[in-house]
Amino acid sequence: MSATVGLVVIAGVVVWLLCRDVQVPDEEIVVEEEPVELLYGIPKDQYNISEGEFVSGETIGALLGKYGVGAAKVDSIARAAEPVFSMRNLRAGHPYVIFQTRDSIAPKLAYFVYEASAIDYLVIDLTDSIRVYKAAKERQQSPLRYGTVCWPTI
């Protein structure tokens, strides 16, 4: 009987020694997120988007009023934008983009983007408080560099 107990103890020690260094790797859960499509740095899929162009004689107040922004809020927007861009510089023919929340009952204006030039644009962020900033579109790199020769050498 003591020999049997001894064998069981030895077998237990051997099993313990063999298993103590074996580490079971934790299963990694990999969640692949779909890439978010951005427009002017704003996620497109979260908003209803409307595009348009300023027409001659149109004011920022009249335009934003169509989207439920009152006169007092327009004044606050103009004051916040003044250090960055004067609302008096909005020009006819320049495109703008409106981002509204997807609320079916009362969609709210979240972002207003005005293209000041072919490269530069102004973003008015109304999601929390009023935030105004200028940004530039990403430029495509040309494969040619200035000063390179485009024809074969002889």
Side-chain angles (χ1 to χ4, degrees):
M1 172 112 170
S2 65
T4 316
V5 172
L7 285 175
V8 170
V9 170
I10 291 175
V13 170
V14 169
V15 169
W16 178 75
L17 287 173
L18 291 175
C19 293
R20 73 181 172 120
D21 289 335
V22 176
Q23 295 180 355
V24 178
D26 294 336
E27 288 186 33
E28 290 186 30
I29 300 174
V30 177
V31 177
E32 291 186 27
E33 294 183 16
E34 292 185 28
V36 176
E37 191 174 348
L38 301 177
L39 180 62
Y40 302 104
I42 304 165
K44 285 176 67 171
D45 62 339
Q46 296 179 11
Y47 300 98
N48 293 326
I49 299 173
S50 305
E51 298 178 358
E53 281 186 4
F54 268 92
V55 295
S56 182
E58 188 171 33
T59 64
I60 189 71
L63 177 66
L64 296 182
K66 296 176 192 175
Y67 297 96
V69 178
K73 185 87 164 189
V74 170
D75 183 58
S76 297
I77 291 169
R79 289 177 193 271
E82 194 61 39
V84 178
F85 185 86
S86 174
M87 290 296 151
R88 286 176 255 137
N89 291 334
L90 300 174
R91 299 288 177 239
H94 285 249
Y96 64 83
V97 181
I98 299 287
F99 292 80
Q100 287 182 293
T101 58
R102 292 195 172 198
D103 187 352
S104 61
I105 297 171
K108 290 183 177 180
L109 180 64
Y111 295 93
F112 171 79
V113 179
Y114 171 75
E115 290 191 15
S117 70
I119 298 170
D120 298 321
Y121 59 91
L122 175 78
V123 177
I124 299 174
D125 178 353
L126 302 169
T127 53
D128 279 332
S129 59
I130 299 171
R131 191 172 77 109
V132 180
Y133 59 93
K134 281 178 99 173
K137 295 178 183 177
E138 290 184 21
R139 298 179 192 183
Q140 297 292 334
Q141 282 286 26
S142 172
L144 298 177
R145 296 177 190 231
Y146 294 106
T148 60
V149 178
C150 296
W151 58 84
T153 59
I154 299 178

